[in-house]
Amino acid sequence: MSNETPVISNFIRTIINEDLKSGKREQVTTRFPPEPNGYLHIGHAKSICLNFGLATEYEGRCNLRFDDTNPVKEEDEYVVAIQDDVAWLGFDWGGEALFASDYFDQLYAWAIKLIKKGKAYVDSQSADEMRSNRGTLTESGTNSPYRDRTVEENLELFEKMKNGDFPDGAQILRAKIDMASPNMNLRDPAMYRIIHAHHHRTGDKWCVYPMYDFAHGQEDSIEGVTHSICTLEFEDHRPLYDWFLKELEIFAPQQIEFARLNLSYTVMSKRKLLQLVNEEYVEGWDDPRMPTISGMRRRGYPAAAIRQFCDRIGVGRGANWIDLSVLEDCVREQLNETAFRRQAVLNPLKVTITNFDKVEMLNAPNHPQQPDLGSRELPMSNELWIDRDDFMENPPSPKKYFRLGPEREVRLRNSYIIKCDEYITDEKGEVVELKCSADLDTLGKNPEGRKVKGIIHWVSAQHAQKVPVRIYDRLFNQENPDKASNYLEALNPESLQLTEAVVEPSLLKASQGETFQFERVGYFTVDSKDSKEGTPVFNRTVTLRDTWAKMK
Ligand code: ATP
Ligand code: MG
């Protein structure tokens, strides 16, 4: 794994350009085909950006199609969440979402067509028999004793399968291809299986369901998908898809495979993500530590940062391990441009300004580099909170340490320069208060005859409000959690720490989902679930710099 951004490969564009030039294709239609059995994650984002991005680039279209062929695992909650996430990422599928289940009648008719052509048969072997007759990578399989059933017999049995005359697993419809093929996918693969289960859209209409492999290529064909882009594990399935399309004599989309995204310190298998949710290692699919789109959104990652990340990592066919810091850097880059600056203190130390006996409303810019973003009022008074880390009793030389110490000066961000005249300790010797004097001639200008380098953040104690803050860190503390004997052992026990901050009053008006830079601290987002009006709960989105490598 490395931090380097890989070279952007556009091998897919090259194929598309050739297809358009040669006349093989006249336009570009792609699709994003999620199975609604979980929430979308950052790996899906890569596929979404690729498919929708190409459609935009070539002025074509990209369908959102749910591959809902397995009623046991699929739910409407996922359908809703997936649409929400794709839209939030900034993409438009132009009209209604599509569903594989809309094509069940057509797929059933096509299965019958193959039976009639003598290209499909009903097998009555048990699952165990089928497995042992399948052969291995080095040995051919063995033909099923039911392989030579007549067309009539097959039609009758398939009809009975559909009518619910058999229990789950008793019969299966298989394509009649070649039990000796070196490609295991061509050894008479299953086309239809019996599942007596309620489907989220077709209800109890069906008790036979097409296998993914019998459905996927035909769904693309029905939709006129010109370029069917998928991940590399489907490369070996391509000959099977092409066989079905040829035997059915229907339009054949061009399948193109690319390497799936793997991200360090992350797991992406939906089975594992579901386990994290079900066994409550996290709060839900949208827990801000999850690699899901909804988790990242709640954490405060901007959609533009995720799109930028997908752009930056490019598309290729080689193993694709990306360091999590590449994603975090994209988040920082976006937020640095857009996030309003605010002052908040996580570890407060009291400061009394001895020569300041009023409340003064200062004007502080929302973004120091972007005056267009306006400003807010920031109250200053004689009692402040600063961060404990910004004071040292015995600081190193002023050339190395620019913050407060006895007799040292520092600028309060957006305010005056103050000098520490005295510090007070409790019986344990811990510093509990600083007494400082302000140079009242330094608001918005440098002092005469001396340079003050340090700037620290602060809030006025009488105006500050205490708010809950959740410090999120990486969910896993190992680069590749799947390398541990059980990935759960790689969970980072410190991925969430609950704390509090005192914040400037303008932050209490912040709305859900708004992200701020707490100056000198990090980026924080108002949680969209647990915040109430006037009492925001802040999620740490990302630190200001990458501190992971240094800390561990
Ligand atoms: P599972 O985790 O159950 O294997 P899946 O991740 O393949 O499922 P799907 O809903 O089938 O989930 O995925 C929809 C699309 O997203 C597919 O076209 C798939 O190729 C793509 N996709 C999924 N994971 C990644 C990934 N890590 N990188 C790139 N594309 C991905
Ligand atoms: Mg899949």
Side-chain angles (χ1 to χ4, degrees):
M1 285 179 225
S2 81
N3 282 327
E4 279 168 45
T5 308
V7 180
I8 294 180
S9 151
N10 55 10
F11 82 101
I12 297 181
R13 284 197 192 92
T14 308
I15 296 174
I16 294 179
N17 289 340
E18 278 166 12
D19 287 351
L20 292 173
K21 210 169 137 206
S22 72
K24 178 178 167 189
R25 298 282 187 257
E26 279 164 14
Q27 45 83 43
V28 174
T29 300
T30 57
R31 86 287 174 263
F32 173 64
E35 184 182 355
N37 62 351
Y39 280 57
L40 298 181
H41 53 60
I42 184 74
H44 294 115
K46 176 172 176 170
S47 174
I48 293 169
C49 290
L50 181 60
N51 280 294
F52 283 94
L54 288 168
T56 306
E57 196 178 321
Y58 288 94
E59 296 178 356
R61 60 171 288 127
C62 178
N63 294 341
L64 172 63
R65 182 184 69 235
F66 290 96
D67 251 318
D68 55 349
T69 51
N70 182 357
V72 182
K73 289 189 176 164
E74 296 154 4
E75 287 171 29
D76 268 335
E77 176 197 346
Y78 300 133
V79 171
V80 173
I82 288 170
Q83 298 196 43
D84 208 39
D85 285 346
V86 175
W88 177 78
L89 275 174
F91 298 107
D92 178 6
W93 49 93
E96 297 289 303
L98 304 170
F99 291 85
S101 51
D102 290 338
Y103 313 135
F104 280 174
D105 286 309
Q106 175 68 78
L107 290 165
Y108 184 76
W110 276 334
I112 289 180
K113 177 169 178 170
L114 290 189
I115 295 175
K116 287 184 175 162
K117 282 182 85 173
K119 299 287 183 183
Y121 63 98
V122 174
D123 197 347
S124 311
Q125 293 183 100
S126 69
D128 281 344
E129 282 167 331
M130 246 181 286
R131 208 170 299 122
S132 64
N133 286 339
R134 205 167 170 236
T136 64
L137 285 173
T138 50
E139 273 172 64
S140 298
T142 314
N143 283 355
S144 163
Y146 305 98
R147 199 172 195 263
D148 293 319
R149 278 177 164 154
T150 63
V151 169
E152 289 65 35
E153 204 180 344
N154 282 319
L155 286 173
E156 198 185 312
L157 282 168
F158 189 46
E159 171 89 19
K160 283 188 169 168
M161 281 170 68
K162 187 194 78 163
N163 290 343
D165 292 352
F166 299 113
D168 289 8
Q171 313 281 354
I172 198 153
L173 183 72
R174 298 178 77 176
K176 197 176 195 173
I177 310 182
D178 179 6
M179 288 304 290
S181 172
N183 183 342
M184 300 288 280
N185 295 300
L186 295 179
R187 292 188 187 173
D188 291 10
M191 288 166 53
Y192 259 91
R193 56 183 164 166
I194 302 171
I195 305 177
H196 289 272
H198 190 83
H199 186 277
H200 76 118
R201 295 186 80 239
T202 56
D204 297 318
K205 178 178 174 192
W206 297 93
C207 62
V208 286
Y209 289 93
M211 302 298 294
Y212 180 86
D213 277 353
F214 182 65
H216 194 79
Q218 286 86 292
E219 293 161 21
D220 282 345
S221 177
I222 292 170
E223 292 175 12
V225 169
T226 56
H227 298 87
S228 170
I229 300 166
C230 62
T231 40
L232 278 173
E233 67 273 22
F234 293 102
E235 191 170 24
D236 289 346
H237 298 235
R238 176 155 33 103
L240 173 59
Y241 300 162
D242 288 342
W243 186 89
F244 283 132
L245 298 164
K246 189 172 123 269
E247 292 298 339
L248 292 169
E249 300 156 75
I250 56 177
F251 169 73
Q254 173 66 57
Q255 175 169 308
I256 306 169
E257 305 88 12
F258 71 98
R260 62 170 52 230
L261 165 68
N262 295 301
L263 199 57
S264 65
Y265 300 97
T266 306
V267 298
M268 262 186 265
S269 131
K270 278 193 268 190
R271 184 181 60 76
K272 290 176 185 157
L273 297 178
L274 184 65
Q275 183 183 21
L276 293 174
V277 172
N278 284 346
E279 297 177 17
E280 296 179 14
Y281 291 101
V282 295
E283 235 184 73
W285 285 98
D286 66 351
D287 185 298
R289 292 164 292 179
M290 288 284 271
T292 52
I293 306 300
S294 53
M296 291 181 176
R297 174 180 178 180
R298 187 165 164 207
R299 173 100 170 234
Y301 285 19
I306 297 175
R307 293 195 302 265
Q308 184 187 8
F309 169 73
C310 293
D311 244 26
R312 196 168 279 183
I313 60 177
V315 196
R317 287 177 55 90
N320 193 209
W321 270 100
I322 304 291
D323 199 88
L324 186 54
S325 63
V326 178
L327 174 60
E328 290 169 342
D329 276 342
C330 292
V331 174
R332 284 186 195 103
E333 282 173 38
Q334 289 292 330
L335 291 178
N336 183 39
E337 294 289 310
T338 56
F340 281 16
R341 273 47 173 177
R342 291 292 182 263
Q343 296 191 156
V345 177
L346 268 70
N347 191 9
L349 171 64
K350 185 174 162 189
V351 172
T352 303
I353 313 286
T354 48
N355 62 338
F356 199 87
D357 57 3
K358 55 179 176 180
V359 170
E360 185 177 353
M361 282 299 172
L362 302 170
N363 192 270
N366 287 326
H367 194 297
Q369 282 87 46
Q370 300 189 53
D372 298 358
L373 296 180
S375 60
R376 85 278 185 188
E377 278 196 328
L378 182 66
M380 162 85 185
S381 66
N382 64 343
E383 267 190 19
L384 314 177
W385 297 115
I386 66 164
D387 198 289
R388 249 167 214 288
D389 286 346
D390 286 333
F391 175 80
M392 278 178 90
E393 276 179 87
N394 299 298
S397 131
K399 290 199 177 98
K400 288 193 186 133
Y401 180 85
F402 307 120
R403 293 172 265 168
L404 271 180
E407 302 301 315
R408 297 268 181 103
E409 277 189 306
V410 80
R411 174 169 301 275
L412 295 175
R413 182 78 174 144
N414 296 311
S415 177
Y416 300 92
I417 285 173
I418 58 168
K419 181 173 163 197
C420 176
D421 303 313
E422 192 188 334
Y423 64 94
I424 298 165
T425 53
D426 64 11
E427 60 281 6
K428 284 178 270 162
E430 198 176 324
V431 178
V432 289
E433 185 185 345
L434 308 183
K435 295 214 183 276
C436 299
S437 47
D439 181 340
L440 297 173
D441 198 25
T442 55
L443 188 62
K445 61 181 177 183
N446 289 325
E448 297 281 326
R450 64 196 199 280
K451 262 214 165 104
V452 175
K453 270 199 170 168
I455 302 178
I456 64 170
H457 60 287
W458 56 279
V459 290
S460 161
Q462 77 180 87
H463 301 93
Q465 296 284 342
K466 221 183 233 181
V467 297
V469 169
R470 306 192 282 215
I471 303 291
Y472 289 110
D473 208 333
R474 299 179 173 189
L475 185 54
F476 294 94
N477 56 18
Q478 290 179 35
E479 262 195 326
N480 182 354
D482 287 316
K483 266 200 178 155
S485 55
N486 175 353
Y487 79 100
L488 293 171
E489 285 163 18
L491 278 167
N492 175 10
E494 283 156 24
S495 62
L496 168 59
Q497 284 171 48
L498 301 175
T499 179
E500 284 177 330
V502 280
V503 302
E504 60 166 280
S506 70
L507 278 171
L508 299 179
K509 289 181 279 179
S511 25
Q512 295 188 352
E514 237 184 311
T515 304
F516 298 92
Q517 185 192 94
F518 289 178
E519 293 203 62
R520 302 181 64 237
V521 182
Y523 292 97
F524 290 79
T525 299
V526 182
D527 189 76
S528 51
K529 270 198 173 159
D530 301 327
S531 303
K532 304 220 170 52
E533 191 152 347
T535 49
V537 174
F538 284 95
N539 298 334
R540 184 170 78 186
T541 309
V542 68
T543 52
L544 289 178
R545 274 170 287 280
D546 184 8
T547 50
W548 180 264
K550 258 176 266 146
M551 276 160 42
K552 302 287 148 172

